[in-house]
Amino acid sequence: MRWIAALLLIPGPALAWEFSPLPVCTLRHAGEAAEVVVTYDPSLPEYAISVTLAEGTWPAAPLFAIAFQGGAALTITTDRHVRSPDGRTLTVTDRGFGNVLNGLEFNGVAQAMSGGRTVPVALDGAAAPVRAFRGCPSLATS
């Protein structure tokens, strides 16, 4: 029985959403299926979202979409995504990310989709870090 209790105390993967203002404004979520990183770099000025798969690769495809569900449902689709050389990461950049931030803050789950592959992203606990991201000093001075 003690070994079961000991196993329960072993830390698992961090599944929380985290915000950091340095070196650029960054939101990060390491989920079971994928890691999601949202950044804003005021020197460009540009936002980016990257979805890196825990296993496998994203297929080469003409479109990338994120469907936000629960609360303020929204689907964003783009053909301006870039697939990393190893195929594990898809990245989208843009000068405005209001819809992405709204989707992250006001919904319960997101589905990242490309080329027939769909990856769930839990948004539990994302709201407060998204609000911190929106208030990032780099965003306020840009």
Side-chain angles (χ1 to χ4, degrees), residues 38-97:
V38 179
T39 58
Y40 176 73
D41 185 341
S43 69
L44 298 176
E46 189 172 76
Y47 293 87
I49 185 169
S50 296
V51 182
T52 302
L53 298 173
E55 295 181 11
T57 60
W58 288 104
L63 294 175
F64 172 69
I66 300 178
F68 297 100
Q69 302 163 347
L74 167 71
T75 299
I76 303 166
T77 304
T78 185
D79 63 357
R80 298 183 323 169
H81 61 288
V82 176
R83 188 171 167 256
S84 65
D86 67 2
R88 290 187 58 227
T89 303
L90 284 181
T91 301
V92 177
T93 59
D94 202 341
R95 292 188 177 255
F97 251 46

Coordinates of all heavy atoms in Angstrom, one line a residue, residues 38-97:
V38 N 2.6 30.5 -27.2 CA 2.1 31.8 -27.8 C 3.1 32.8 -27.4 O 3.4 33.0 -26.2 CB 0.7 32.1 -27.4 CG1 0.3 33.5 -28.0 CG2 -0.3 31.0 -27.7
T39 N 3.6 33.6 -28.3 CA 4.6 34.7 -28.0 C 4.2 36.0 -28.7 O 3.5 36.0 -29.7 CB 6.0 34.3 -28.5 OG1 6.0 34.1 -29.9 CG2 6.6 33.1 -27.7
Y40 N 4.7 37.0 -28.1 CA 4.6 38.4 -28.7 C 6.0 39.0 -28.6 O 6.5 39.1 -27.5 CB 3.5 39.3 -28.1 CG 3.6 40.6 -28.7 CD1 3.1 40.8 -30.0 CD2 4.2 41.7 -28.1 CE1 3.1 42.1 -30.6 CE2 4.2 43.0 -28.7 CZ 3.7 43.1 -29.9 OH 3.8 44.4 -30.5
D41 N 6.5 39.3 -29.7 CA 7.9 40.0 -29.8 C 7.7 41.4 -30.3 O 7.4 41.6 -31.5 CB 8.8 39.2 -30.7 CG 10.2 39.7 -30.7 OD1 10.4 40.9 -30.3 OD2 11.1 39.0 -31.2
P42 N 7.8 42.4 -29.4 CA 7.6 43.8 -29.8 C 8.6 44.3 -30.8 O 8.4 45.3 -31.5 CB 7.6 44.5 -28.5 CG 8.5 43.7 -27.6 CD 8.2 42.3 -28.0
S43 N 9.8 43.7 -30.9 CA 10.8 44.1 -31.8 C 10.4 43.9 -33.3 O 10.9 44.5 -34.2 CB 12.1 43.5 -31.5 OG 12.1 42.1 -31.8
L44 N 9.4 42.9 -33.5 CA 9.0 42.6 -34.9 C 7.9 43.5 -35.4 O 8.0 43.9 -36.6 CB 8.6 41.1 -35.0 CG 9.8 40.2 -34.6 CD1 9.3 38.7 -34.6 CD2 11.0 40.3 -35.5
P45 N 6.9 44.0 -34.8 CA 6.1 43.4 -33.8 C 5.3 42.2 -34.3 O 4.7 42.4 -35.4 CB 5.2 44.5 -33.3 CG 5.1 45.4 -34.5 CD 6.3 45.2 -35.3
E46 N 5.3 41.1 -33.6 CA 4.6 39.9 -34.2 C 4.2 38.9 -33.1 O 5.0 38.7 -32.2 CB 5.5 39.3 -35.2 CG 4.9 38.2 -36.0 CD 5.9 37.7 -37.1 OE1 6.9 37.0 -36.7 OE2 5.7 38.1 -38.2
Y47 N 3.1 38.3 -33.3 CA 2.6 37.2 -32.4 C 2.9 35.9 -33.1 O 3.0 35.9 -34.4 CB 1.1 37.3 -32.2 CG 0.6 38.4 -31.4 CD1 0.3 39.6 -32.0 CD2 0.3 38.3 -30.1 CE1 -0.2 40.7 -31.3 CE2 -0.2 39.3 -29.3 CZ -0.4 40.5 -30.0 OH -0.9 41.6 -29.2
A48 N 3.1 34.9 -32.4 CA 3.2 33.5 -32.9 C 2.6 32.5 -32.0 O 2.5 32.7 -30.8 CB 4.7 33.2 -33.1
I49 N 2.0 31.5 -32.6 CA 1.6 30.3 -31.9 C 2.2 29.1 -32.5 O 2.2 29.0 -33.8 CB 0.0 30.2 -31.9 CG1 -0.4 29.0 -31.0 CG2 -0.6 30.1 -33.3 CD1 -1.9 29.0 -30.7
S50 N 2.8 28.3 -31.7 CA 3.4 27.0 -32.1 C 2.8 25.9 -31.4 O 2.6 25.9 -30.2 CB 4.9 27.0 -31.9 OG 5.6 28.0 -32.6
V51 N 2.5 24.8 -32.1 CA 1.9 23.6 -31.6 C 2.9 22.5 -31.9 O 3.0 22.1 -33.1 CB 0.5 23.3 -32.1 CG1 -0.1 22.0 -31.4 CG2 -0.4 24.5 -31.9
T52 N 3.5 21.9 -30.9 CA 4.5 20.9 -31.0 C 4.0 19.6 -30.5 O 3.6 19.5 -29.3 CB 5.8 21.2 -30.3 OG1 6.3 22.5 -30.8 CG2 6.9 20.1 -30.5
L53 N 3.9 18.6 -31.4 CA 3.3 17.3 -31.0 C 4.2 16.5 -30.0 O 5.5 16.5 -30.2 CB 3.1 16.4 -32.2 CG 2.1 17.0 -33.2 CD1 2.1 16.1 -34.5 CD2 0.7 17.1 -32.6
A54 N 3.6 15.8 -29.1 CA 4.4 15.0 -28.1 C 4.9 13.7 -28.9 O 6.0 13.2 -28.6 CB 3.5 14.6 -26.9
E55 N 4.1 13.3 -29.8 CA 4.4 12.1 -30.6 C 4.0 12.3 -32.0 O 2.9 12.9 -32.3 CB 3.7 10.8 -30.0 CG 4.1 10.5 -28.6 CD 3.4 9.2 -28.2 OE1 2.7 8.5 -29.0 OE2 3.5 8.9 -27.0
G56 N 4.7 11.8 -33.0 CA 4.4 11.8 -34.4 C 4.7 13.2 -35.0 O 5.4 14.0 -34.4
T57 N 4.1 13.3 -36.2 CA 4.4 14.6 -37.0 C 3.1 15.1 -37.5 O 2.1 14.4 -37.7 CB 5.3 14.3 -38.1 OG1 4.8 13.3 -39.0 CG2 6.7 13.8 -37.6
W58 N 3.1 16.4 -37.8 CA 2.0 17.0 -38.5 C 2.1 16.6 -40.0 O 3.2 16.8 -40.6 CB 2.0 18.5 -38.4 CG 1.6 19.0 -37.1 CD1 2.5 19.5 -36.1 CD2 0.3 19.2 -36.5 NE1 1.8 19.9 -35.0 CE2 0.5 19.7 -35.3 CE3 -0.9 18.8 -37.0 CZ2 -0.7 20.0 -34.4 CZ3 -2.0 19.1 -36.2 CH2 -1.9 19.7 -34.9
P59 N 1.1 16.2 -40.7 CA 1.2 16.0 -42.1 C 1.3 17.3 -42.9 O 0.8 18.3 -42.4 CB -0.1 15.3 -42.5 CG -1.1 15.6 -41.4 CD -0.2 15.9 -40.2
A60 N 2.0 17.3 -44.0 CA 2.0 18.5 -44.9 C 0.6 18.7 -45.4 O 0.0 17.8 -45.8 CB 3.0 18.2 -46.0
A61 N 0.1 19.9 -45.2 CA -1.3 20.2 -45.6 C -1.4 21.7 -45.9 O -0.6 22.5 -45.4 CB -2.2 19.8 -44.4
P62 N -2.4 22.0 -46.7 CA -2.5 23.4 -47.1 C -3.2 24.3 -46.0 O -3.0 25.5 -46.1 CB -3.4 23.4 -48.3 CG -4.2 22.1 -48.2 CD -3.3 21.2 -47.4
L63 N -3.8 23.7 -45.0 CA -4.5 24.5 -44.0 C -4.2 24.1 -42.6 O -4.0 22.9 -42.4 CB -6.0 24.5 -44.2 CG -6.6 25.1 -45.4 CD1 -8.1 24.8 -45.5 CD2 -6.3 26.6 -45.5
F64 N -4.2 25.0 -41.7 CA -4.1 24.7 -40.2 C -5.3 25.4 -39.6 O -5.6 26.6 -39.9 CB -2.8 25.3 -39.7 CG -2.7 25.2 -38.2 CD1 -2.6 24.0 -37.5 CD2 -2.7 26.4 -37.4 CE1 -2.5 23.9 -36.1 CE2 -2.6 26.3 -36.0 CZ -2.5 25.1 -35.4
A65 N -5.9 24.8 -38.6 CA -7.1 25.4 -37.9 C -7.0 25.1 -36.5 O -6.4 24.1 -36.0 CB -8.4 24.8 -38.5
I66 N -7.6 26.0 -35.7 CA -7.8 25.8 -34.3 C -9.3 26.1 -34.0 O -9.8 27.2 -34.3 CB -7.0 26.7 -33.4 CG1 -5.5 26.5 -33.6 CG2 -7.3 26.5 -31.9 CD1 -4.6 27.5 -32.8
A67 N -10.0 25.1 -33.5 CA -11.4 25.2 -33.1 C -11.4 25.3 -31.6 O -11.0 24.4 -30.9 CB -12.2 24.0 -33.6
F68 N -12.0 26.4 -31.1 CA -12.2 26.6 -29.7 C -13.6 26.3 -29.3 O -14.5 26.7 -30.0 CB -11.9 28.1 -29.3 CG -10.5 28.5 -29.5 CD1 -10.1 29.2 -30.7 CD2 -9.4 28.1 -28.7 CE1 -8.8 29.6 -30.9 CE2 -8.1 28.5 -28.9 CZ -7.8 29.2 -30.0
Q69 N -13.8 25.5 -28.2 CA -15.1 25.0 -27.9 C -15.4 25.3 -26.4 O -14.5 25.1 -25.6 CB -15.2 23.5 -28.2 CG -15.0 23.2 -29.6 CD -14.7 21.8 -29.9 OE1 -14.4 21.0 -29.0 NE2 -14.7 21.4 -31.2
G70 N -16.6 25.6 -26.1 CA -17.1 25.8 -24.7 C -17.0 27.2 -24.3 O -15.9 27.7 -24.0
G71 N -18.1 27.9 -24.3 CA -18.1 29.3 -23.8 C -18.2 30.3 -25.0 O -19.3 30.9 -25.1
A72 N -17.2 30.5 -25.7 CA -17.2 31.4 -26.9 C -16.6 30.7 -28.1 O -15.5 31.0 -28.5 CB -16.4 32.7 -26.5
A73 N -17.3 29.7 -28.6 CA -16.8 28.9 -29.7 C -16.4 29.7 -30.9 O -17.0 30.7 -31.2 CB -17.9 27.9 -30.1
L74 N -15.3 29.3 -31.5 CA -14.6 30.0 -32.5 C -13.7 29.1 -33.3 O -13.0 28.3 -32.6 CB -13.8 31.2 -31.9 CG -12.8 32.0 -32.8 CD1 -13.6 32.8 -33.8 CD2 -12.0 32.8 -31.9
T75 N -13.7 29.2 -34.6 CA -12.7 28.4 -35.4 C -11.9 29.4 -36.2 O -12.4 30.2 -36.9 CB -13.4 27.3 -36.3 OG1 -14.1 26.4 -35.5 CG2 -12.4 26.6 -37.1
I76 N -10.6 29.2 -36.1 CA -9.6 30.1 -36.9 C -8.9 29.2 -37.9 O -8.3 28.1 -37.5 CB -8.6 30.8 -36.0 CG1 -9.4 31.6 -34.9 CG2 -7.7 31.6 -36.8 CD1 -8.5 32.1 -33.8
T77 N -8.9 29.5 -39.2 CA -8.2 28.8 -40.2 C -7.2 29.6 -40.9 O -7.5 30.8 -41.2 CB -9.2 28.2 -41.2 OG1 -10.2 27.5 -40.5 CG2 -8.6 27.3 -42.2
T78 N -6.1 29.1 -41.3 CA -5.1 29.8 -42.0 C -4.3 28.9 -43.0 O -4.2 27.7 -42.7 CB -4.1 30.6 -41.1 OG1 -3.2 31.4 -41.9 CG2 -3.3 29.6 -40.3
D79 N -3.8 29.5 -44.0 CA -2.9 28.8 -44.9 C -1.5 29.4 -44.8 O -0.6 29.1 -45.5 CB -3.3 28.9 -46.4 CG -3.4 30.3 -46.9 OD1 -3.1 31.3 -46.2 OD2 -3.7 30.5 -48.1
R80 N -1.3 30.2 -43.7 CA 0.0 30.9 -43.5 C 0.8 30.2 -42.4 O 1.5 30.9 -41.6 CB -0.2 32.4 -43.2 CG -0.8 33.1 -44.4 CD -1.0 34.5 -44.2 NE -1.3 34.9 -42.8 CZ -1.3 36.1 -42.3 NH1 -0.9 37.1 -43.1 NH2 -1.6 36.4 -41.1
H81 N 0.7 28.9 -42.3 CA 1.4 28.2 -41.2 C 2.7 27.6 -41.8 O 2.9 27.5 -43.0 CB 0.6 27.0 -40.7 CG 0.2 26.0 -41.7 ND1 -0.8 26.3 -42.7 CD2 0.6 24.8 -41.9 CE1 -0.9 25.2 -43.5 NE2 -0.1 24.3 -43.0
V82 N 3.7 27.4 -40.9 CA 5.0 26.8 -41.3 C 5.2 25.5 -40.5 O 5.0 25.5 -39.3 CB 6.1 27.8 -41.0 CG1 7.5 27.2 -41.3 CG2 5.9 29.1 -41.8
R83 N 5.6 24.5 -41.2 CA 5.8 23.2 -40.6 C 7.3 23.1 -40.4 O 8.1 23.4 -41.2 CB 5.3 22.1 -41.5 CG 5.4 20.7 -41.0 CD 4.6 19.8 -42.0 NE 4.9 18.4 -41.7 CZ 5.7 17.6 -42.4 NH1 6.3 18.1 -43.4 NH2 5.8 16.4 -42.0
S84 N 7.7 22.7 -39.2 CA 9.2 22.6 -38.9 C 9.8 21.4 -39.7 O 9.1 20.5 -40.2 CB 9.4 22.2 -37.4 OG 8.8 21.0 -37.1
P85 N 11.1 21.5 -39.9 CA 11.8 20.4 -40.7 C 11.5 19.0 -40.2 O 11.4 18.1 -41.1 CB 13.3 20.8 -40.6 CG 13.3 22.3 -40.4 CD 12.1 22.5 -39.5
D86 N 11.4 18.8 -38.9 CA 11.1 17.5 -38.4 C 9.6 17.1 -38.4 O 9.2 16.0 -38.1 CB 11.7 17.2 -37.0 CG 11.0 18.1 -35.9 OD1 10.1 18.8 -36.2 OD2 11.5 18.0 -34.8
G87 N 8.7 18.1 -38.8 CA 7.3 17.9 -38.9 C 6.6 17.9 -37.6 O 5.3 17.7 -37.6
R88 N 7.2 18.0 -36.5 CA 6.6 18.0 -35.2 C 5.8 19.3 -34.8 O 4.9 19.3 -34.0 CB 7.6 17.6 -34.1 CG 8.1 16.2 -34.1 CD 8.9 15.8 -32.9 NE 8.2 16.0 -31.7 CZ 8.7 16.6 -30.6 NH1 9.9 17.1 -30.6 NH2 7.9 16.8 -29.6
T89 N 6.3 20.4 -35.4 CA 5.7 21.7 -34.9 C 5.1 22.5 -36.1 O 5.7 22.5 -37.2 CB 6.9 22.6 -34.3 OG1 7.5 21.9 -33.3 CG2 6.3 23.9 -33.9
L90 N 3.9 23.0 -35.9 CA 3.3 24.0 -36.8 C 3.3 25.3 -36.1 O 3.0 25.4 -34.9 CB 1.9 23.6 -37.1 CG 1.7 22.4 -38.1 CD1 0.2 22.2 -38.3 CD2 2.4 22.6 -39.4
T91 N 3.7 26.4 -36.9 CA 3.8 27.7 -36.3 C 3.0 28.7 -37.2 O 3.1 28.6 -38.4 CB 5.2 28.2 -36.2 OG1 5.9 27.3 -35.3 CG2 5.3 29.6 -35.6
V92 N 2.3 29.6 -36.6 CA 1.5 30.6 -37.3 C 2.0 32.0 -36.7 O 2.0 32.1 -35.5 CB 0.0 30.5 -37.2 CG1 -0.7 31.6 -37.9 CG2 -0.4 29.1 -37.8
T93 N 2.3 32.9 -37.6 CA 2.6 34.3 -37.1 C 1.7 35.3 -37.7 O 1.1 35.1 -38.8 CB 4.1 34.7 -37.4 OG1 4.2 34.6 -38.9 CG2 5.1 33.7 -36.8
D94 N 1.5 36.4 -36.9 CA 0.6 37.4 -37.4 C 0.8 38.7 -36.6 O 1.4 38.6 -35.5 CB -0.9 37.0 -37.3 CG -1.8 37.8 -38.3 OD1 -1.4 38.9 -38.7 OD2 -2.9 37.3 -38.5
R95 N 0.3 39.8 -37.0 CA 0.5 41.0 -36.2 C -0.7 41.2 -35.3 O -0.6 42.1 -34.4 CB 0.6 42.2 -37.2 CG 1.9 42.2 -37.9 CD 2.1 43.5 -38.7 NE 3.4 43.4 -39.3 CZ 4.5 44.1 -38.9 NH1 4.4 44.8 -37.8 NH2 5.6 44.0 -39.5
G96 N -1.7 40.5 -35.4 CA -2.9 40.6 -34.5 C -3.3 39.2 -34.1 O -3.3 38.3 -34.9
F97 N -3.6 39.0 -32.8 CA -3.9 37.7 -32.2 C -5.1 37.7 -31.3 O -5.3 36.9 -30.5 CB -2.7 37.1 -31.5 CG -2.0 35.9 -32.2 CD1 -1.8 36.0 -33.5 CD2 -1.7 34.8 -31.5 CE1 -1.1 34.9 -34.2 CE2 -1.1 33.7 -32.1 CZ -0.8 33.8 -33.5

